[in-house]
Amino acid sequence: MKRFICAFVALITAALLFAPCISSSGDVFALNSSVGDYESASGFLNYVTEGIVSGENKLDISSYGLEKDTFLSYMEALYNYEPLTFLVSRVFSYTHYKSQVTAVTFKPEFETGQISEVLDFYSDAIGECLKGIHGDWSVEAKLLYVFEYICNNFVYDFDTLIDDVYNFLKEKKGVCQAYSLFAAGVLNRLGIENDTVVSLALNHIWNRVKVNGSWYNIDFTWGAEDVPGNSLHAHFLRSEYDGEQETDFTKVHTGDEYDWTSTLYSDDNAASDTYKTANACWYDTDTSFVFCNGYWYYLAEIKNNKIAFRRTSDFYIYETITSITDYFMTEYGTHWNGYYGGIKALGTNVIFTTAKHVVLYDTVSGEFDTLYTYDGDEVNCIYGMADRGDSVDLYIRNYPPTGSSSDAEHRVETISFAIPEEYLVSKELKAFAESIEYYYDEKTGERFLFGIAEGSFPGTLMAAIGGEARTCKDGIFSKSAVLTTGSIFRMGEFEYRINIPGDTDCNGKADADDAGYLLTAMLYPDYFTVYYEQDYDKNGTFDIDDSIYLKWSVEDPEGYPVDIK
């Protein structure tokens, strides 16, 4: 369903010395023209934003010498592009002397003492969006990851028309202005040049990004399909014109006339259709892409209503892992065209849905397992999947979502399905854990796992780790048989101090044993402490994947280098 409602129109009422700008929900802030050269406005926009963040309600802007029309153009750009305007109301006033505006006054939405907490909430939300991004990814890969995250974690707000970033993040829903503003904040954090575009005919706003010197459109709002787990990539990295021809993006984004207006720039239209012309993989699917163990995995519809489960590393060359024939049915026993499944990554596993099943693919072993089968009414199918971390919500429907019906209209039930515990880590990780040995101190009668007394962790952990008990003399373990030749020792009354970066098990050196310790610490964080957090695989976050990366590094140090900092 296309969303045409954005929330914000400024009705400007001029007075001789004082003029209020009044807002109402339901429309885009009317942008008459872009600010032109962004450099000419950046000083003003940065100054006003800094004032808003610092809690200053009235700002002296006399030094900028702005005529009223220029001032209002800059303010329009501020509200249409700057996410932090959620700190103030959409009602502002200004004073002017003769033809120049001298001050602008805002109405704060939060008490001064709340601003720091609110900004932390906003910053953390951006960090959560970006935490899965790898530093060595291409710009296109980073943009796709952000596109999938926003499309899959937020829904369109048909009821309350939330248009600001703060409430968008709190309620996980909003209109197009909220989508585009949050996206602008994320793109700014990534350091990707970006802009917003306003269409008055459509009453709509979306984003533009600059990649390799060319501008491209991204519409996060229309990309967020009504089906959870689906992303409409027809709105991702699209141009306005391919030569002299309008693209399909242009056709659906044009109202009565071509009226798009850039917020910050007056030229450099998005005229390149590089990715469509080169047949980028994302044009083959409306299901999401997920990154797992070095590849992007996705589901693509192919001939005869079959679905291809594929992976790609560069978005142009793909490998079909398997084909799926699991049709979506109608009440008349015929097949629906299209695919409505969801997909998610969990550790080194990829989980996806078909019409009747939840399937797991182990990217390390290459094996498939069916985790769940829907055995309800034959006409009902799994028409969407929402990611809930270690569980998923399966949306059971008797009719596929269409442009004229929302997801909830034909939803029969929502099934919350917990991923079985044994699948939360890959089979290789589990086998690795089971290979770790524990030790028995003949002198004290205590067992140890990497120098930690048995009483420090639950008995279930001992069963999970397995291995044969080893003996040692005088409480000192002379040699570790886990992976390589590191020594494990005790210090004082089990008081451990980290002196060497990467030495997660405190054995006095950074070695292969640290991979095992790191794994157990990740699996049982309440019982094991990681004294030094190192992003070994350099994917931008410290997580369980770092333990398996350390293991691979021991086996193939050149292929999996570890840079201990």
Side-chain angles (χ1 to χ4, degrees):
M1 181 182 294
K2 293 183 174 61
R3 288 71 172 223
F4 294 93
I5 301 176
C6 288
F8 191 45
V9 61
L11 305 177
I12 303 170
T13 306
L16 181 61
L17 293 177
F18 176 82
C21 288
I22 308 168
S23 67
S24 63
S25 285
D27 298 285
V28 180
F29 195 132
L31 189 66
N32 298 316
S33 63
S34 68
V35 299
D37 180 8
Y38 175 61
E39 295 301 322
S40 66
S42 60
F44 171 82
L45 297 176
N46 290 337
Y47 168 73
V48 173
T49 301
E50 290 171 4
I52 290 173
V53 170
S54 64
E56 297 180 48
N57 298 330
K58 185 173 182 179
L59 298 173
D60 180 356
I61 58 172
S62 58
S63 63
Y64 291 94
L66 299 178
E67 300 286 330
K68 185 181 73 172
D69 288 347
T70 302
F71 162 75
L72 292 177
S73 175
Y74 284 9
M75 291 301 291
E76 290 168 355
L78 180 76
Y79 277 105
N80 282 329
Y81 177 75
E82 176 51 62
L84 293 173
T85 49
F86 69 76
L87 292 169
V88 294
S89 167
R90 292 295 173 84
V91 178
F92 68 91
S93 60
Y94 61 93
T95 56
H96 58 92
Y97 177 72
K98 295 184 178 179
S99 63
Q100 290 191 349
V101 179
T102 59
V104 59
T105 302
F106 298 97
K107 180 181 178 182
E109 290 287 345
F110 301 93
E111 298 293 334
T112 303
Q114 295 178 301
I115 292 179
S116 177
E117 180 181 351
V118 169
L119 289 175
D120 285 345
F121 169 75
Y122 167 72
S123 180
D124 290 346
I126 292 181
E128 182 67 23
C129 175
L130 298 179
K131 74 177 185 180
I133 288 182
H134 295 212
D136 59 353
W137 281 357
S138 65
V139 174
E140 295 90 339
K142 293 175 182 177
L143 288 170
L144 181 62
Y145 184 92
V146 171
F147 185 77
E148 306 297 8
Y149 181 91
I150 294 178
C151 289
N152 282 282
N153 284 278
F154 300 91
V155 297
Y156 193 82
D157 182 13
F158 290 97
D159 303 318
T160 55
L161 303 180
I162 290 173
D163 63 345
D164 69 283
V165 172
Y166 179 74
N167 286 294
F168 178 68
L169 295 173
K170 281 190 63 179
E171 304 299 328
K172 299 294 184 181
K173 63 180 182 178
V175 296
C176 62
Q177 194 154 17
Y179 274 92
S180 62
L181 286 172
F182 178 60
V186 173
L187 295 170
N188 288 337
R189 179 78 67 88
L190 279 173
I192 297 174
E193 189 172 0
N194 66 95
D195 190 7
T196 53
V197 181
V198 173
S199 169
L200 295 184
L202 295 180
N203 199 19
H204 188 46
I205 185 170
W206 61 92
N207 300 81
R208 292 195 314 166
V209 295
K210 200 169 191 178
V211 184
N212 299 325
S214 298
W215 285 99
Y216 299 89
N217 294 289
I218 302 182
D219 192 332
F220 292 89
T221 312
W222 287 6
E225 176 62 293
D226 291 321
V227 185
N230 278 205
S231 308
L232 298 184
H233 297 101
H235 307 294
F236 176 70
L237 287 184
R238 296 308 309 274
S239 72
E240 297 158 17
Y241 289 92
D242 181 8
E244 297 298 323
Q245 301 295 317
E246 289 185 340
T247 65
D248 51 355
F249 182 92
T250 302
K251 292 173 182 176
V252 299
H253 280 75
T254 301
D256 297 331
E257 59 184 31
Y258 181 88
D259 71 333
W260 302 357
T261 305
S262 165
T263 298
L264 302 179
Y265 303 92
S266 59
D267 54 8
D268 291 335
N269 289 330
S272 174
D273 210 23
T274 299
Y275 303 104
K276 177 65 174 177
T277 304
N279 294 318
C281 291
W282 53 72
Y283 289 113
D284 291 340
T285 178
D286 286 335
T287 58
S288 300
F289 281 69
V290 295
F291 186 80
C292 186
N293 203 13
Y295 289 91
W296 292 87
Y297 290 84
Y298 66 104
L299 296 144
E301 186 179 357
I302 53 179
K303 294 180 180 179
N304 302 320
N305 284 357
K306 288 184 178 180
I307 304 302
F309 177 54
R310 291 174 172 169
R311 69 181 183 183
T312 179
S313 59
D314 63 1
F315 303 117
Y316 297 103
I317 300 174
Y318 62 81
E319 173 191 355
T320 297
I321 301 171
T322 189
S323 296
I324 304 162
T325 305
D326 195 359
Y327 300 114
F328 292 83
M329 306 298 294
T330 71
E331 58 186 313
Y332 305 108
T334 55
H335 301 157
W336 283 109
N337 292 323
Y339 185 72
Y340 306 92
I343 187 170
K344 67 167 287 182
L346 185 63
T348 53
N349 296 321
V350 175
I351 296 170
F352 61 91
T353 63
T354 67
K356 299 289 186 180
H357 303 94
V358 177
V359 181
L360 179 142
Y361 174 70
D362 188 321
T363 65
V364 178
S365 68
E367 297 177 0
F368 287 91
D369 283 310
T370 299
L371 303 184
Y372 173 82
T373 299
Y374 177 72
D375 56 3
D377 194 314
E378 185 176 350
V379 249
N380 298 337
C381 295
I382 303 171
Y383 276 103
M385 179 178 77
D387 187 353
R388 305 297 185 216
D390 290 347
S391 65
V392 294
D393 284 349
L394 305 175
Y395 298 125
I396 311 301
R397 293 169 50 96
N398 57 14
Y399 193 90
T402 66
S404 60
S405 66
S406 68
D407 174 65
E409 288 183 54
H410 293 277
R411 189 180 297 177
V412 176
E413 61 180 322
T414 300
I415 298 174
S416 294
F417 172 70
I419 307 300
E421 186 174 350
E422 62 266 28
Y423 292 103
L424 296 181
V425 294
S426 74
K427 292 181 178 179
E428 182 173 355
L429 279 174
K430 288 184 289 182
F432 180 41
E434 291 167 359
S435 73
I436 298 172
E437 301 181 12
Y438 57 86
Y439 301 84
Y440 175 72
D441 187 334
E442 202 173 50
K443 183 176 181 180
T444 65
E446 294 177 306
R447 290 187 179 189
F448 293 82
L449 174 68
F450 298 106
I452 296 180
E454 183 178 19
S456 300
F457 51 85
T460 54
L461 178 60
M462 296 301 296
I465 298 302
E468 181 181 350
R470 296 295 182 92
T471 61
C472 62
K473 296 181 179 180
D474 301 323
I476 302 297
F477 304 115
S478 60
K479 187 174 182 180
S480 164
V482 180
L483 289 174
T484 184
T485 58
S487 62
I488 299 177
F489 58 90
R490 295 183 299 171
M491 295 184 293
E493 294 299 319
F494 307 108
E495 294 285 336
Y496 293 93
R497 296 181 181 179
I498 186 70
N499 296 316
I500 301 173
D503 182 19
T504 57
D505 63 0
C506 295
N507 71 347
K509 62 168 68 176
D511 56 21
D513 295 341
D514 299 306
Y517 183 87
L518 184 58
L519 171 62
T520 55
M522 289 294 186
L523 294 175
Y524 302 93
D526 293 337
Y527 299 94
F528 294 88
T529 301
V530 176
Y531 295 87
Y532 181 83
E533 296 187 359
Q534 172 75 39
D535 181 18
Y536 296 103
D537 59 4
K538 296 184 178 180
N539 70 348
T541 185
F542 175 69
D543 54 26
I544 199 168
D545 294 336
D546 293 307
S547 62
I548 196 66
Y549 187 90
L550 276 179
K551 177 180 182 291
W552 290 340
S553 179
V554 172
E555 298 168 349
D556 182 8
E558 293 185 2
Y560 299 90
V562 171
D563 180 19
I564 302 296
K565 297 180 178 180

